[in-house]
Amino acid sequence: MELNRLLFLLFIFLNLNPALSQEFSYNLSSDSLVNFHAGNKRVYHTVRTDIKPRIDGHLEDECWIQYGIWQGDFIQQQPQQGRSPSQKTEVKILYDSDNLYVALKCYDDEPEKISAIMGRRDDFTSGDIAGIALDTYFDKSTAFEFNVSAAGQKIDLVHLGAYLWDTNWDAVWEARTQILDSMWTVEIRIPFSQLRFSDNEEQVWGMHIWRWIDRLGEENQWKLIPIDAPAMVYIFGELRGIRDVNRKRHVEIMPFVAGRQVTGGLKSERLGYGLDGKIGLSSNYTLDFTVLPDFGQVEADPSILNLSSYEVFYDEKRPFFLEGNNILDYSAGSDIFFYSRRIGHSPSWMPFGEEGETVAMPSGTTILNALKLTGKGKKGTSIGIVNSLTGKEYAEISGVDGTRLETAEPLSNYFVGRLKQDFNDGNTILGGIVTSTIRSIKEEHLEFLPERASVGGIDFLHTWKNRKYFLDLKSFYSHISGSEEAISALQRNSRHLFQRINADHLETDDTRNTMEGWGGQLTGGKQSGKFRATGTLSWRSPGLELNDLGYLREADQVNQRVNLRYQVNKPKGILQSYYFTVDHRNDWTFGGEYLNNHLNLHGYTKFSNLWSLHADFVRNFHRVDTRQLRGGPSLRLDPFTTAELFLQTNSSKKLFLGLGARRKWVDNALGESVDYTVHLQWKVSNRFTLTSQTRYEDLVDFNQYVVQRRINNETRYVVGELDRKTLYTTLRAEIFATPELSFQFYGSPYASVGHFSKLKKVQESLSSNASGRYSYLTEVDRQGSAIYLDEDGDGSYDFLVGNPDFNYQELRSNFVIRWEYRPGSTIYLVWTHNRFHDSDIYDSSAWNSLKGISGISSDNALMVKLSYWFSL
């Protein structure tokens, strides 16, 4: 309550203080010419056309000849900021009752060098590009952007704020290009139904128009947005003149059918159907809905062998949950409150069949329906709501006596509500979020899951001095309830570990049926100019829990971080731009245990030939890991140093190469690693591109956790010296017949082999030297996968452990044919091929392990999906 009062008083102060609200003038650059162009107000007055253009890239329609004016005078943003462009660009904008029309003439005195590379939608590496961004709310913080490559590939996105954007937003719009003898042209039709704007009689929108010349690494802009500005949208120019446009409540419907055949251990789903839709409740707010959706991923997740106690974070790739995330986003560091992959996740319970039985599991939890309301009102109120119901799932257990079903996931409901309010021309934002997870648990074997999980948070952001300085505050609280079994398991899981031996501030209570926690983050500083500085203080109480619908890496943390940056964007000699950063971090537990003292130095430079170089240096002075022993005492890890270099060639060339090496040294020779990365892109032609990225890592870890054993009422914690080698590669081959018809292959073989040469018992976990920290165990015997160990040196075995060596092999691949046969309507044909094998038979060569993947049995899935988009 005290924090709420403080935020309220701060909010009143910021909005009553007239000194904080001032007319815009840009003065953040040391270059007066840059300040002039950035502060110069630029306005385009569009006119209505009675003649609809044919969207084909040829600007010969009558409307382009009769109506409006061509406007040029673009300014170079990079590399020569504030100077005249090397090539001329002109734009004309028209509208009618239903659409906005944009035409661009991108002149080029070397037209044979225009880069027209076909690529995937939203790929900014597709050669020359031109586009327009529209701040339709005129809130000076968010905008819709529509870009087109010279090859005709569309790139659309939503601006989220200070250099944050969401390319997962896919609107239904048209664009075509033509390459002529002295220019390339762009013709765009943007339906007003795809935008959200106020109901004012005449619209005033922020507007940004830009052009990228790939071979020169040059960006030209209609209204200059300085490259070192703290944000973009608030510096946009203006688009005026739009009035009396169609405001009907727009309805979009996209039914689909999908067939899927699966081989392997997953249940086969042969036929599916569903419906996606969008209803414009007003010009500001949109309701998205889906019924019985097909949420099969086209893009495979990367392979990884996780030897830590932390959950691996995978990006969301399903369009329904991706769109509108700008409003729903609430994050603090790496922790997020709405991690949409919790919805439709794989079942939580996997039964163990009897001897001779096989178990078939659903690939995911069936999403029965989902609703999403998003939008922003003309007074700056942003609303985001998601509600989704997932069905009860069953595992099929088959044997000689027939098939039986066992519940693997209960019926569940997920809810997210997000509210934000802009004040002071977007310089002040006050918001909040609420999430809820409710599970209908009827079966006793599912009582390890919480029944209810609620999380609430408030956030406050204020910027001043043309957003040069900022203050960002977040505070949040969680409440989890369920059976005693569920809360006991939650206290003991890897995010909390209340049972830790030397954590006097923690205590497990197996009689509890609720758990509560809180956290927050305070960040502020200077975010523009040559010199920038930010500081962060964040905290997570031991009982904080977000993972029913969010992502929390670990609780019981207090973190302090300072980041300093020096950045120069003005070319000089062979340097086009460069920056240096100093990042220092300290971590503690809520009990005051000092965990981490970490310094990171990073440098980057881009050369005039468009090559670039990254250099990174890390020094860790102090490390204590509270998770390494999985509930045991905190373990001191030895300080280390790392150094890294990564060199990239000119990405606009047909052959692009990136080479990197990273080396790590642990103090007192108690561990080391080296890894190499090779990135290669070959533009075989404008329609065919090959991309690969390969990484090899050779690591020696002196402290890798193995197991814990309870003997004579005392727990032994065993670690080992791990020699691990990992080799993996990703390969993409993409062929485009047209921007709408593509053939794409993705393959990622992964192999990781590890051998434990020395096993040790943890003796004094916080000792500053390894000899006091561990005592070596002697291997007395080995039978199969069992290793018999002697801990007291008398030659007889005291306990046994399983062989911790591993040979992990995995291949994830797919082949996709994608055809957008009409705007918004798509046919997919997807073949997925996966192989996986894990054993404790060590192979000293990661290369041999990688080659051995070809002999592993495979799982295959074939999916066909047809969707048809139409509007009412």
Side-chain angles (χ1 to χ4, degrees):
M1 292 300 294
E2 293 300 326
L3 181 59
N4 290 342
R5 292 192 185 100
L6 177 62
L7 286 176
F8 177 75
L9 292 173
L10 190 58
F11 154 71
I12 294 295
F13 167 75
L14 292 171
N15 284 278
L16 293 181
N17 187 352
L20 296 174
S21 179
Q22 50 187 302
E23 187 174 343
F24 178 79
S25 62
Y26 194 86
N27 58 4
L28 303 181
S29 175
S30 57
D31 189 326
S32 60
L33 190 60
V34 171
N35 288 331
F36 170 77
H37 287 297
N40 183 34
K41 183 177 180 179
R42 194 154 196 209
V43 180
Y44 188 97
H45 294 273
T46 184
V47 297
R48 178 184 288 270
T49 176
D50 297 324
I51 305 170
K52 292 181 181 292
R54 180 182 178 183
I55 306 302
D56 56 9
H58 292 288
L59 306 181
E60 299 169 351
D61 303 271
E62 199 65 27
C63 63
W64 298 123
I65 299 173
Q66 289 189 12
Y67 298 100
I69 60 169
W70 290 99
Q71 196 172 102
D73 297 327
F74 279 56
I75 302 297
Q76 191 175 160
Q77 190 218 36
Q78 56 175 306
Q80 298 286 346
Q81 185 171 213
R83 274 58 180 177
S84 298
S86 65
Q87 308 293 334
K88 180 181 176 183
T89 308
E90 291 182 332
V91 61
K92 179 182 284 192
I93 302 173
L94 305 172
Y95 77 98
D96 59 23
S97 296
D98 298 304
N99 304 288
L100 187 73
Y101 302 102
V102 182
L104 285 155
K105 294 180 179 178
C106 302
Y107 294 91
D108 200 311
D109 52 21
E110 296 182 285
E112 70 281 0
K113 294 184 179 179
I114 294 172
S115 180
I117 305 296
M118 288 191 182
R120 287 178 293 166
R121 184 166 181 163
D122 300 332
D123 183 1
F124 276 96
T125 64
S126 300
D128 286 16
I129 301 171
I132 182 171
L134 300 167
D135 174 12
T136 55
Y137 292 123
F138 206 48
D139 62 4
K140 302 184 184 300
S141 61
T142 60
F144 302 98
E145 184 166 324
F146 304 85
N147 309 305
V148 191
S149 73
Q153 186 61 60
K154 292 188 286 188
I155 304 169
D156 46 11
L157 56 94
V158 177
H159 287 251
L160 309 181
Y163 294 102
L164 298 174
W165 42 78
D166 182 6
T167 58
N168 298 302
W169 176 71
D170 286 334
V172 179
W173 54 291
E174 292 184 78
R176 290 291 185 271
T177 60
Q178 295 291 333
I179 298 179
L180 307 177
D181 57 1
S182 62
M183 70 177 79
W184 65 280
T185 59
V186 182
E187 194 171 22
I188 300 174
R189 181 182 73 88
I190 305 172
F192 289 127
S193 64
Q194 300 300 299
L195 304 174
R196 301 173 186 179
F197 49 90
S198 70
D199 56 4
N200 296 333
E201 181 179 348
E202 180 177 349
Q203 299 295 314
V204 178
W205 295 350
M207 185 174 74
H208 171 61
I209 303 170
W210 70 290
R211 174 190 177 185
W212 174 257
I213 305 174
D214 194 43
R215 70 181 185 275
L216 303 176
E218 178 179 328
E219 180 171 337
N220 300 317
Q221 301 176 343
W222 172 74
K223 164 69 165 58
L224 180 64
I225 311 294
I227 197 168
D228 57 352
M232 290 184 62
V233 182
Y234 83 108
I235 311 179
F236 278 13
E238 293 181 8
L239 175 64
R240 293 178 176 266
I242 299 175
R243 58 172 60 241
D244 301 325
V245 297
N246 198 333
R247 301 182 186 280
K248 69 179 182 180
R249 295 186 177 182
H250 206 76
V251 179
E252 299 176 14
I253 304 294
M254 189 170 68
F256 66 84
V257 294
R260 180 184 288 108
Q261 179 65 43
V262 181
T263 64
L266 300 178
K267 293 167 65 176
S268 183
E269 306 161 30
R270 297 180 181 276
L271 181 64
Y273 56 88
L275 181 71
D276 295 336
K278 189 186 297 285
I279 301 174
L281 302 180
S282 68
S283 59
N284 304 92
Y285 297 100
T286 301
L287 177 67
D288 294 88
F289 62 90
T290 183
V291 180
L292 296 175
D294 175 80
F295 279 144
Q297 288 184 206
V298 172
E299 184 75 35
D301 291 321
S303 300
I304 185 170
L305 173 60
N306 182 22
L307 298 182
S308 75
S309 62
Y310 300 102
E311 177 188 6
V312 176
F313 182 90
Y314 291 108
D315 292 330
E316 177 62 271
K317 298 173 182 177
R318 300 169 295 180
F320 177 84
F321 290 114
L322 287 169
E323 186 176 339
N325 269 353
N326 58 309
I327 293 177
L328 293 163
D329 175 67
Y330 188 105
S331 59
S334 62
D335 302 327
I336 60 177
F337 281 61
F338 179 39
Y339 181 34
S340 52
R341 288 190 65 142
R342 303 292 185 205
I343 303 175
H345 62 78
S346 57
S348 303
W349 171 261
M350 182 172 180
F352 297 94
E354 303 293 338
E355 185 176 354
E357 292 183 328
T358 60
V359 178
M361 295 289 296
S363 58
T365 307
T366 301
I367 301 177
L368 302 177
N369 60 64
L371 297 173
K372 180 167 61 177
L373 172 65
T374 56
K376 187 170 186 177
K378 62 181 180 181
K379 294 184 178 181
T381 304
S382 300
I383 297 175
I385 296 174
V386 171
N387 193 83
S388 180
L389 182 67
T390 61
K392 196 172 186 178
E393 292 295 338
Y394 298 91
E396 290 184 1
I397 306 173
S398 303
V400 293
D401 296 327
T403 300
R404 69 181 190 276
L405 300 178
E406 188 169 322
T407 306
E409 185 72 26
L411 181 75
S412 304
N413 191 83
Y414 301 90
F415 172 83
V416 182
R418 180 79 162 108
L419 178 68
K420 291 192 293 185
Q421 178 64 55
D422 294 1
F423 303 96
N424 191 22
D425 292 329
N427 288 303
T428 306
I429 301 174
L430 184 64
I433 189 170
V434 175
T435 73
S436 170
T437 303
I438 301 175
R439 300 182 178 93
S440 177
I441 299 176
K442 307 293 185 183
E443 293 80 4
E444 184 177 347
H445 68 270
L446 293 179
E447 288 187 354
F448 69 94
L449 295 170
E451 288 188 79
R452 292 176 178 267
S454 302
V455 177
I458 56 175
D459 58 319
F460 171 83
L461 173 65
H462 180 65
T463 62
W464 64 97
K465 294 286 186 181
N466 286 334
R467 310 199 183 189
K468 182 177 184 178
Y469 302 98
F470 77 100
L471 178 69
D472 188 0
L473 174 63
K474 294 182 173 70
S475 181
F476 35 88
Y477 166 82
S478 67
H479 182 274
I480 316 297
S481 62
S483 67
E484 292 179 358
E485 178 188 354
I487 301 304
S488 178
L490 198 57
Q491 294 176 71
R492 288 174 165 81
N493 74 15
S494 62
R495 295 183 299 279
H496 304 285
L497 298 179
F498 280 18
Q499 72 275 28
R500 280 173 40 218
I501 292 174
N502 54 355
D504 296 334
H505 62 294
L506 300 177
E507 183 179 358
T508 57
D509 184 351
D510 294 332
T511 65
R512 296 178 58 182
N513 54 25
T514 63
M515 192 171 84
E516 299 175 332
W518 65 289
Q521 179 171 294
L522 177 63
T523 304
K526 178 177 180 285
Q527 58 182 348
S528 72
K530 284 186 177 181
F531 177 74
R532 309 178 188 194
T534 59
T536 300
L537 177 66
S538 64
W539 57 96
R540 312 284 187 270
S541 78
L544 180 69
E545 174 60 23
L546 307 177
N547 282 27
D548 290 275
L549 191 49
Y551 177 86
L552 172 70
R553 179 175 168 84
E554 62 179 310
D556 191 21
Q557 287 271 311
V558 178
N559 316 115
Q560 168 267 320
R561 184 172 182 175
V562 175
N563 182 275
L564 307 176
R565 181 184 181 104
Y566 183 77
Q567 179 171 323
V568 175
N569 297 304
K570 188 173 183 179
K572 185 174 182 180
I574 65 170
L575 302 180
Q576 186 179 108
S577 63
Y578 59 90
Y579 68 80
F580 302 99
T581 64
V582 179
D583 189 278
H584 185 254
R585 174 172 176 162
N586 287 291
D587 300 331
W588 300 264
T589 67
F590 256 58
E593 187 176 7
Y594 189 33
L595 302 180
N596 191 30
N597 182 357
H598 191 88
L599 176 67
N600 184 195
L601 307 177
H602 182 76
Y604 166 82
T605 184
K606 188 174 185 179
F607 300 98
S608 56
N609 64 356
L610 304 186
W611 286 40
S612 62
L613 178 67
H614 286 267
D616 201 65
F617 175 83
V618 171
R619 175 58 186 170
N620 184 280
F621 301 96
H622 174 81
R623 286 194 300 163
V624 172
D625 195 328
T626 60
R627 267 64 181 169
Q628 180 81 332
L629 297 182
R630 276 59 165 179
S634 300
L635 181 66
R636 180 185 291 273
L637 303 177
D638 296 282
F640 65 86
T641 302
T642 65
E644 180 179 9
L645 284 176
F646 193 84
L647 177 67
Q648 295 182 166
T649 64
N650 185 349
S651 62
S652 68
K653 301 295 185 181
K654 288 192 175 294
L655 189 63
F656 166 61
L657 183 66
L659 297 172
R662 180 176 180 267
R663 182 70 189 269
K664 176 180 179 180
W665 302 267
V666 180
D667 287 9
N668 303 313
L670 297 178
E672 63 178 352
S673 70
V674 60
D675 63 74
Y676 305 97
T677 301
V678 178
H679 178 83
L680 178 66
Q681 184 181 70
W682 181 23
K683 299 170 186 175
V684 183
S685 71
N686 286 351
R687 298 176 182 270
F688 181 25
T689 301
L690 290 171
T691 306
S692 72
Q693 180 164 312
T694 303
R695 183 181 177 191
Y696 173 73
E697 179 185 38
D698 190 346
L699 172 148
V700 176
D701 186 345
F702 193 78
N703 313 281
Q704 179 59 51
Y705 173 80
V706 176
V707 74
Q708 52 186 275
R709 288 286 183 263
R710 187 77 175 171
I711 303 172
N712 298 327
N713 296 320
E714 182 182 347
T715 302
R716 274 70 166 169
Y717 298 94
V718 180
V719 301
E721 185 172 317
L722 170 64
D723 183 358
R724 179 181 181 181
K725 298 176 177 64
T726 301
L727 175 63
Y728 66 90
T729 188
T730 59
L731 174 66
R732 295 181 185 273
E734 299 173 319
I735 300 176
F736 290 83
T738 69
E740 294 77 27
L741 176 59
S742 63
F743 305 84
Q744 303 174 23
F745 171 79
Y746 167 87
S748 181
Y750 176 98
S752 186
V753 297
H755 174 61
F756 288 80
S757 59
K758 298 175 183 177
L759 298 182
K760 299 166 287 188
K761 181 180 69 172
V762 178
Q763 198 75 21
E764 297 291 338
S765 65
L766 295 178
S767 175
S768 59
N769 59 77
S771 60
R773 199 180 313 152
Y774 305 115
S775 63
Y776 283 94
L777 299 168
T778 304
E779 182 178 328
V780 176
D781 193 13
R782 183 183 292 242
Q783 297 180 17
S785 294
I787 301 176
Y788 295 82
L789 298 171
D790 171 23
E791 66 172 319
D792 52 21
D794 61 3
S796 61
Y797 90 88
D798 296 295
F799 61 94
L800 62 84
V801 300
N803 182 9
D805 292 352
F806 55 85
N807 184 353
Y808 185 94
Q809 302 162 288
E810 187 170 20
L811 170 67
R812 296 187 180 186
S813 64
N814 58 38
F815 176 73
V816 180
I817 301 175
R818 181 186 183 275
W819 179 30
E820 187 175 355
Y821 59 94
R822 63 188 302 271
S825 302
T826 309
I827 296 175
Y828 281 103
L829 175 64
V830 183
W831 171 60
T832 300
H833 176 88
N834 295 325
R835 297 169 183 251
F836 169 76
H837 181 68
D838 185 18
S839 75
D840 60 5
I841 301 176
Y842 174 65
D843 188 326
S844 61
S845 170
W847 172 245
N848 289 337
S849 179
L850 194 74
K851 291 191 298 181
I853 293 177
S854 60
I856 301 172
S857 60
S858 63
D859 294 332
N860 294 275
L862 181 65
M863 183 186 79
V864 179
K865 180 179 178 180
L866 168 65
S867 65
Y868 182 83
W869 178 91
F870 64 93
S871 63
L872 303 176

